[in-house]
Amino acid sequence: MPETTKEQLITAASTLLDSGGQEAVTLRAVAERVGVSHNAPYRHFRDRSALLAAVAERDFIYLRGAIDRHGEGSDAEVALRNASAQMIDYALKHQARYRLLFSDPDLSPGPGIKDAAKAAFQAFSRVVSRCQGEGVLPEIDTVRLTVLVYSTLHGAIDLELGGRSTESGLGSIEATADLLFHLLRRVELGE
Amino acid sequence: MPETTKEQLITAASTLLDSGGQEAVTLRAVAERVGVSHNAPYRHFRDRSALLAAVAERDFIYLRGAIDRHGEGSDAEVALRNASAQMIDYALKHQARYRLLFSDPDLSPGPGIKDAAKAAFQAFSRVVSRCQGEGVLPEIDTVRLTVLVYSTLHGAIDLELGGRSTESGLGSIEATADLLFHLLRRVELGE
DNA sequence: ACCTGAACACCGTTCAAGT
DNA sequence: ACCTGAACACCGTTCAAGT
C-alpha cells in the first residue's frame, strides 16, 4: 500500500537531510520531490519545524527498535557494544538526522517526540542495566549511569560529525566508547 | 582605543548569537548594529560563514586562556573541576556560540581556527595530565583520556543545550562530569 | 479535505558607483 | 581602501480561490 502524501513529505524531508543537510530541506524542495505545489505541505504540517519534528519522531521509533533488536540474545557486554554500534551507524549514515534528533535546540518538543525519545532512552537503559547485573558496569544508579554512558557516546559522535575530532588530536567514536567501557569494567567501588 | 569596524562586526555577531541564536545573525542585522550599510561586511569578510569563523576563533582563544588561568595553583583535581566549570559556564552563558565552536559542521575550518582550537584542547589536556600524575585519573595515554573526558563533558553540555536532558531523565551537566571523575578515580588498571 | 498560484517580507550575495 | 544603493534569486508563510 502506497504512502500517504503526509508520509511522502516526511520521507522526502529525510532524504534531503541525508543528501544536503538542514539547509537543503526547504519546503519548496520537499514539495517538488513529492510532486505537489510549493505550499501543499501546509495542509499537513503547521510549518517547516513541524515537518522536521515528524522526521525526528519516526527516527526515534526506528532507533528504539534497533536497540531492542540488537540488545537481545547475546551477553550483556556484546549487547552494549551492539546498541552503541547501532547509534554510531545511524549517526554516520544520517548525520543531519542524528543532529536533528539529539542536538537541534529548535526541534519542536511535542508529546509524540518526547515519548519516542524516552522509549529509545529506556531501551538503551535496559542494556546498561543488564551490564550491571553481569558485573560489566558498576552498580550505581542505572539512570545516572545511562546518562553518563550516553553523554560520552553522544559527545564522541557529535565532535566527529562536527569535524572536531581530527583537529583535537584523535578520531574514531568507537575508540572513545571502548575506552570508557574498558575503564568502567575496572572500577572498584569499595564498600 | 576603539574597535576597528571589523572587530565591531565580530562583537555584534557575538551579541546577536547570544540574544537570538544562529538564525538571528543576519548580515543585515550585524551591519545595522554597527551602523554601516547592509553589505559593508563584505569588505571585511568573504561571506557570512567567514564572519562566524572569526567569532569562533576569538572565543577559542578566550577559552584557552580561561582554562589555563583556572588550572593553575590549586591541586590537580580542583584544576580539573575548574577547567570543566569554565567550559560549562561558557556553554550556558553563550549557548549558540558554544554550539558554533564545538558542534557546527558548517564552521569554516581555516588554519587560524584549527590552531586556536588545538591550543584550547592542549590546555585541557595539561590539566588531565596533572591529574594522572596525582593518581586522580588512570595512567593511560593522555590524549585518548582527554578525548574521553572531553567527549563526556561535551555530550552532557550538548544534550542539555538541546533540551534533551530532562526528556531523557536527568539534568545537570556537573552531575554527569562529577560521576565520571568519581568512577575514574576508582579504576584499578591491574598490571 | 486537499491543492494551487499570487503575493509579502526577509535574506545572502553581487555589482556598479561613489569618497 | 572602504562604503552605499539597487538588484537578483531564494525562502517561509499567508491568502484567496479552486475541485
Side-chain angles (χ1 to χ4, degrees):
Chain A
M1 78 185 177
E3 282 185 319
T4 63
T5 299
K6 183 169 185 170
E7 290 167 337
Q8 284 183 280
L9 291 168
I10 299 173
T11 300
S14 300
T15 305
L16 285 168
L17 276 169
D18 287 347
S19 59
Q22 273 262 20
E23 69 187 27
V25 187
T26 68
L27 288 183
R28 285 164 146 92
V30 170
E32 191 190 20
R33 220 160 202 295
V34 174
V36 292
S37 75
H38 74 278
N39 46 18
Y42 285 95
R43 296 302 125 195
H44 304 277
F45 301 98
R46 193 169 29 79
D47 53 21
R48 179 178 180 272
S49 74
L51 171 58
L52 291 173
V55 172
E57 184 170 345
R58 179 192 274 183
D59 279 9
F60 271 126
I61 292 170
Y62 160 78
L63 282 173
R64 179 252 167 91
I67 293 169
D68 276 343
R69 210 160 46 246
H70 290 80
E72 293 172 358
S74 42
D75 74 316
E77 186 168 5
V78 174
L80 179 61
R81 283 177 200 283
N82 285 347
S84 303
Q86 285 298 308
M87 296 302 307
I88 295 168
D89 189 60
Y90 170 79
L92 293 179
K93 283 183 180 156
H94 311 286
Q95 309 202 359
R97 282 154 74 177
Y98 179 86
R99 298 180 68 80
L100 172 68
L101 271 65
F102 294 98
S103 280
D104 190 350
D106 296 327
L107 180 65
S108 306
I113 291 212
K114 279 195 172 179
D115 289 348
K118 189 174 226 172
F121 177 82
Q122 287 170 339
F124 201 88
S125 189
R126 283 191 292 275
V127 178
V128 168
S129 181
R130 281 184 55 205
C131 285
Q132 292 181 294
E134 296 193 12
V136 172
L137 288 178
E139 288 281 3
I140 59 175
D141 178 78
T142 301
V143 171
R144 290 189 62 193
L145 181 58
T146 305
V147 169
L148 169 63
V149 170
Y150 196 71
S151 290
T152 306
L153 189 55
H154 172 68
I157 288 172
D158 193 65
L159 290 171
E160 178 76 18
L161 295 188
R164 304 297 192 279
S165 288
T166 41
E167 293 174 34
S168 308
L170 205 72
S172 182
I173 304 160
E174 280 93 347
T176 299
D178 284 350
L179 178 57
L180 176 68
F181 300 150
H182 175 84
L183 293 173
L184 289 186
R185 206 184 308 110
R186 284 158 181 77
V187 167
E188 299 288 340
L189 284 180
E191 71 278 8
Chain B
M1 80 187 176
E3 282 185 317
T4 65
T5 300
K6 183 169 186 171
E7 289 166 338
Q8 283 183 282
L9 291 167
I10 299 174
T11 300
S14 300
T15 305
L16 285 168
L17 276 169
D18 286 348
S19 58
Q22 272 263 19
E23 69 187 27
V25 187
T26 68
L27 288 183
R28 284 165 147 90
V30 171
E32 190 190 19
R33 216 160 207 295
V34 175
V36 292
S37 75
H38 72 279
N39 46 17
Y42 285 96
R43 295 302 123 196
H44 304 277
F45 301 98
R46 194 170 28 79
D47 53 21
R48 178 178 181 274
S49 73
L51 171 58
L52 290 174
V55 172
E57 183 170 343
R58 178 192 276 184
D59 279 8
F60 271 126
I61 292 170
Y62 160 77
L63 282 173
R64 179 251 166 90
I67 294 170
D68 275 343
R69 209 162 44 244
H70 289 79
E72 293 171 357
S74 42
D75 74 315
E77 187 167 6
V78 173
L80 179 61
R81 283 177 200 282
N82 285 348
S84 303
Q86 285 299 308
M87 295 301 307
I88 295 168
D89 189 61
Y90 171 79
L92 293 179
K93 283 183 180 156
H94 311 285
Q95 307 204 359
R97 281 155 75 176
Y98 180 87
R99 299 180 68 80
L100 172 68
L101 270 65
F102 294 98
S103 278
D104 190 347
D106 296 326
L107 180 65
S108 306
I113 290 210
K114 281 195 171 180
D115 290 347
K118 187 173 228 174
F121 177 83
Q122 287 171 340
F124 201 88
S125 190
R126 283 192 290 275
V127 177
V128 168
S129 181
R130 280 184 55 204
C131 285
Q132 292 182 295
E134 296 193 14
V136 172
L137 289 177
E139 287 281 2
I140 60 175
D141 179 79
T142 301
V143 172
R144 290 189 63 195
L145 181 58
T146 305
V147 169
L148 170 62
V149 170
Y150 196 71
S151 291
T152 305
L153 190 55
H154 171 68
I157 288 172
D158 192 66
L159 290 171
E160 178 76 18
L161 295 188
R164 304 297 191 279
S165 288
T166 40
E167 294 174 35
S168 309
L170 205 72
S172 183
I173 304 160
E174 280 93 347
T176 299
D178 283 350
L179 178 57
L180 177 68
F181 300 151
H182 176 85
L183 293 173
L184 289 185
R185 206 183 308 110
R186 283 157 183 77
V187 167
E188 297 289 339
L189 283 180
E191 72 280 8

